Amino acid sequence: MQGAPLRTAAITARNIACRRGDRVLFAELSLNLSSGEAVQIAGHNGIGKSSLLRILAGLAPAYAGTVTVEGSVGLLDERPALDPALPLGRALAFWQRMDGAPTEAVQRNLERLGLAALVDVPVRYLSTGQKKRAAFARLLAQEATVWLLDEPLNGLDSRAVELAETLTAEHCAAGGVAIVASHQSFRLTGLARLALADFGA
Amino acid sequence: MSRAAALLRRDLGRLLLGGRGGGPLLPVLFFLSVAMLYPFAVGPDAPLLARTGGGVIWVAALLAAILPLDRLVEPDIELGVFDQWALRGISEELVIAVRVLAHWLSFGPPLMLAAFPAAALLGLDGATLRMVELGLLAGTPGLAALGVTVAALTAGLRGGAALAGLLVIPMAVPVLIFGAGSLGTGGESGLALAGASSLVLIAIAPFAGAAAVRAARG
């Protein structure tokens, strides 16, 4: 994201609720973020952090409420969405073509994430942390304005954690929005915190 | 490269070049194995083999088309690939339509090629082989569409792969009857009906498959 022009982005959720089976996970949840802002969704396992992100991404219906997004949404979750059989470079090149990103974006992002040496290694041989970094490379190439990060620090070592936090800070500085669902501490200047337990039904 | 072309390239890479499922080799070997075993089972009765061989090729083609079903949709849901496509505004309908084409290319033409040695093993004459080839050309696209649709419907279910196979077989009966029927008294009208069945299945597949993927994605 370095050097990218300032962009406008916003995401607004009004009174959303999430229901799984007979259980309402949370209700009456509202948030409003605009360019440069970030929030961490905190809460224990199973409270509905991932479900909230999927609702915000438009991938799952809300039980109640509305979500409005200005800009494009990028999602990073536990699933890297990279073909396990393909070498990392080719797996990322597929998403580069889907995103219409320049060809050199793949190599640039691999270098940024410290994965350049693994370009020819099949994705299935990567460690959990390497797959997570590869997913960050995919997210960078997408150039989405609203980042939804679901447990982005899982499996990362301390250097990679720092890198993930830096990338998120740069994204926000470039006008993007970030929503981080994590039970771990995420260091980001100006990061707001939203405890999902406060909206439990 | 357009997104549809990039999708087709990826699907062909996965389905043709293999990976865990062995690419098109597995359906072709299965198909040829059936054609090879059938004469052992019924004995060296050349007129009987010639009379029933075309039908055996059709049954073998249907069963061979079932083999790759577990690789068609489920892995992309598990890996979150469909989610990433949805976020980019790429419709499930487009993905499924492309996958039907890729699935057909990965088993239809290979089976049509394998039908030549299979016909030799079964002692089919040239006229029967011609009708078998035309029937496979008309019917296998429908089997591909049906396979992708059922793979989407059973994605995420426990034992989905086995269930998919069981579901495809009864739903493929019209294509089988018309395709195999073209070898007997049905003639060219059988071919036309097999082609019509394929067209109906191809028309339905993107919408039914996309709805199933959306439901499985939750």
Side-chain angles (χ1 to χ4, degrees):
Chain A
M1 291 298 135
Q2 273 180 331
L6 281 177
R7 302 166 295 177
T8 57
I11 184 164
T12 304
R14 289 186 208 285
N15 300 320
I16 56 173
C18 174
R19 181 173 165 165
R20 285 285 175 268
D22 293 335
R23 198 161 64 102
V24 176
L25 295 178
F26 54 82
E28 298 291 317
L29 187 152
S30 297
L31 59 84
N32 184 12
L33 296 173
S34 53
S35 285
E37 293 182 324
V39 65
Q40 177 171 4
I41 311 292
H44 57 76
N45 293 342
I47 199 167
K49 298 190 293 294
S50 299
S51 297
L52 172 59
L53 290 196
R54 292 184 65 76
I55 289 170
L56 294 175
L59 294 172
Y63 181 53
T66 57
V67 176
T68 313
V69 175
E70 183 188 330
S72 53
V73 173
L75 173 70
L76 181 141
D77 61 14
E78 292 300 302
R79 300 162 305 161
L82 298 169
D83 286 335
L86 286 185
L88 178 58
R90 281 179 53 199
L92 286 171
F94 169 72
W95 289 111
Q96 166 260 318
R97 285 192 289 274
M98 287 282 107
D99 293 325
T103 314
E104 60 271 19
V106 173
Q107 187 61 29
R108 187 176 66 232
N109 292 325
L110 281 172
E111 285 169 9
R112 189 75 214 279
L113 272 301
L115 295 168
L118 302 176
V119 65
D120 294 322
V121 176
V123 171
R124 66 172 176 270
Y125 295 136
L126 300 182
S127 69
T128 305
Q130 288 167 336
K131 282 180 189 163
K132 183 60 67 86
R133 281 190 279 154
F136 261 107
R138 189 202 68 225
L139 182 67
L140 285 178
Q142 188 185 351
E143 298 198 342
T145 51
V146 177
W147 279 12
L148 303 177
L149 309 179
D150 190 1
E151 299 291 359
L153 306 184
N154 273 7
L156 296 182
D157 59 29
S158 56
R159 277 178 61 190
V161 164
E162 207 170 292
L163 180 60
E165 291 166 343
T166 303
L167 291 171
T168 310
E170 288 174 1
H171 170 70
C172 292
V177 165
I179 300 178
V180 183
S182 177
H183 64 276
Q184 293 170 271
S185 166
F186 196 93
R187 289 164 298 176
L188 190 67
T189 306
L191 181 70
R193 193 171 182 280
L194 189 150
L196 208 48
D198 295 344
F199 300 90
Chain B
M1 184 186 286
S2 74
R3 283 175 158 182
L7 285 172
L8 182 61
R9 185 174 149 180
R10 173 182 181 269
D11 285 355
L12 284 176
R14 285 176 61 243
L15 295 170
L16 274 177
L17 300 180
R20 283 178 305 164
L25 201 59
L26 193 61
V28 166
L29 288 177
F30 179 84
F31 176 80
L32 287 174
S33 299
V34 173
M36 190 183 69
L37 289 173
Y38 184 66
F40 286 123
V42 300
D45 183 341
L48 176 65
L49 287 175
R51 199 170 64 247
T52 57
V56 170
I57 284 183
W58 261 98
V59 172
L62 167 58
L63 296 177
I66 290 172
L67 292 178
L69 290 188
D70 62 330
R71 292 188 295 139
L72 290 178
V73 176
E74 170 90 26
D76 280 340
I77 292 179
E78 271 185 14
L79 284 172
V81 177
F82 272 103
D83 284 349
Q84 295 297 331
W85 280 325
L87 289 173
R88 287 159 175 81
I90 299 168
S91 70
E92 288 84 0
E93 284 82 358
L94 173 66
V95 175
I96 295 294
V98 169
R99 193 141 306 175
V100 168
L101 176 59
H103 177 37
W104 180 74
L105 287 171
S106 74
F107 88 90
L111 287 195
M112 289 171 68
L113 283 175
F116 285 96
L121 286 166
L122 295 165
L124 302 187
D125 59 33
T128 306
L129 175 60
R130 177 177 164 274
M131 292 305 280
V132 165
E133 291 288 354
L134 289 173
L136 289 176
L137 183 63
T140 49
L143 295 182
L146 185 59
V148 173
T149 305
V150 171
L153 284 167
T154 55
L157 300 180
R158 192 180 300 171
L163 184 61
L166 285 175
L167 283 173
V168 162
I169 290 171
M171 288 198 272
V173 165
V175 177
L176 181 72
I177 288 174
F178 297 137
S182 69
L183 302 170
T185 53
E188 292 190 357
S189 61
L191 283 181
L193 287 168
S197 303
S198 276
L199 287 175
V200 169
L201 292 168
I202 290 168
I204 292 171
F207 305 103
V213 166
R214 282 191 286 269
R217 218 179 49 200

